[in-house]
Structures are given as structure tokens and as C-alpha cells.
Amino acid sequence: MAPSNAPATHLLIISDREPLAWVLENQRMAFPAGRTRASLSLDKSDEVLLYTTRGCFGNPTRDLGRIIGLATLTSEVSTLDEPVTFGERRFTEGCRLRVHGLAPFGDGVVLRDLVTDLQVFPDPRSWSARLRRASLKLPEADAALVKRELQPLLKPYDAVVGDYALQRR
């Protein structure tokens, strides 16, 4: 059994293109007010898989929820000196991250295709309900499977981050 202080892997769930562009450009994550308890489950050195929901780019009938990147938290989650605001939502907690790689825009691991193989979704019929949060901790076996699928798609951060920033509008 792994030591309790071993880094964990989480899905960071991003549901809108403007916050996604901010996360990628700043290599930071912010968590909405009222989600402090969930955000505090993340620790410095934890690994994060960046997941964009079907609605992230404004067309949930066309787009698929995809895991698009791999990063590591480089700071603890703490209260932001200046909250970040997107639309009417205030994000009061945050942390820094280092993005190791991104899938080209429009690519990535389609999470729906892996649901029946992932322990984190005990009932595959209602899997999407577990994604109505800012982050979701993955069991080790799930993290290994997702990273195996994602690794061949990843490109260097600098090579593709600009393509995501162009989708901000």
C-alpha cells in the first residue's frame, strides 16, 4: 500500500472556455466560493488531469468531455489575495500548477469512452453527476489508465497553449 502522503491524481473539471484559457495561460487553478472543502483535498505535488466538459466550448451537442492535459500542483491551495471572477462566479481559492503537456485543441481522451473501466464511476449510467464539482480524486488504477491513454496525445505546453487561448471567445 502506498504511503498516505504519496501524491494523488485528480481530475480538474473546467466547464467554460474563459476560465480554461485563464488556467492555461496563467498555469493556475481557482476554485469557486463555497467549494473550499473540496479544493483543500488537493496538495502541493499532486498530479492533475485537466478535463473540459461537453459545454466548455459552448456546444454540448457537438463537443465531448475530454481530458486534455497533465499538470502538477506547485503550491498549496490557499485563499487568493484577489478573487478571480468569470461572469458572476467568484473564485476565492487557488493554487499554481505546472502544465507538462496538452493535447492539441479538439483532441484529448474522451472520458465517456472510459467510464465503464474506471472505479471512480461505480454506476456508469450516472457517471456525469460525479463531475458536478471542481475536482475529483481518482483511484491509482484509474489515474494510470487515463494517463496511459493521454500520454500519446500530449504535446509540449508552449506548442499548443495558444490554440486554446484563441477559443476564449
Side-chain angles (χ1 to χ4, degrees):
M1 182 174 246
S4 61
N5 61 350
T9 303
H10 306 262
L11 273 183
L12 285 184
I13 301 159
I14 305 167
S15 59
D16 188 78
R17 64 180 138 214
E18 187 179 355
L20 173 64
W22 182 87
V23 166
L24 294 178
E25 290 168 11
N26 295 285
Q27 294 199 62
R28 291 175 58 198
M29 185 65 189
F31 299 94
R35 301 285 174 107
T36 302
R37 197 176 114 203
S39 67
L40 292 177
S41 71
L42 296 153
D43 291 318
K44 183 177 178 181
S45 301
D46 279 355
E47 209 168 39
V48 291
L49 295 159
L50 303 172
Y51 173 74
T52 58
T53 66
R54 285 181 346 153
C56 187
F57 299 101
N59 193 339
T61 57
R62 175 198 65 201
D63 296 329
L64 299 171
R66 296 178 187 272
I67 300 164
I68 62 158
L70 178 64
T72 302
L73 271 61
T74 60
S75 73
E76 298 291 335
V77 175
S78 61
T79 301
L80 298 172
D81 292 336
E82 185 79 27
V84 179
T85 304
F86 298 107
E88 296 180 12
R89 292 191 72 190
R90 286 174 39 91
F91 294 74
T92 57
E93 309 289 320
C95 61
R96 296 197 170 282
L97 30 108
R98 184 182 59 205
V99 179
H100 303 293
L102 289 170
F105 182 77
D107 205 353
V109 175
V110 176
L111 186 57
R112 176 183 70 193
D113 295 347
L114 298 179
V115 166
T116 57
D117 298 322
L118 297 174
Q119 300 167 18
V120 75
F121 302 115
D123 180 5
R125 292 173 307 210
S126 63
W127 69 276
S128 62
R130 303 244 13 225
L131 300 177
R132 294 185 186 125
R133 59 187 73 198
S135 68
L136 178 64
K137 187 174 179 180
L138 297 179
E140 286 182 36
D142 290 1
L145 171 63
V146 172
K147 288 188 289 186
R148 236 184 351 263
E149 295 291 319
L150 181 62
Q151 200 61 46
L153 305 174
L154 293 178
K155 304 294 180 211
Y157 168 82
D158 291 333
V160 294
V161 70
D163 295 337
Y164 285 93
L166 291 173
Q167 303 304 317
R168 183 178 239 146
R169 297 177 282 296

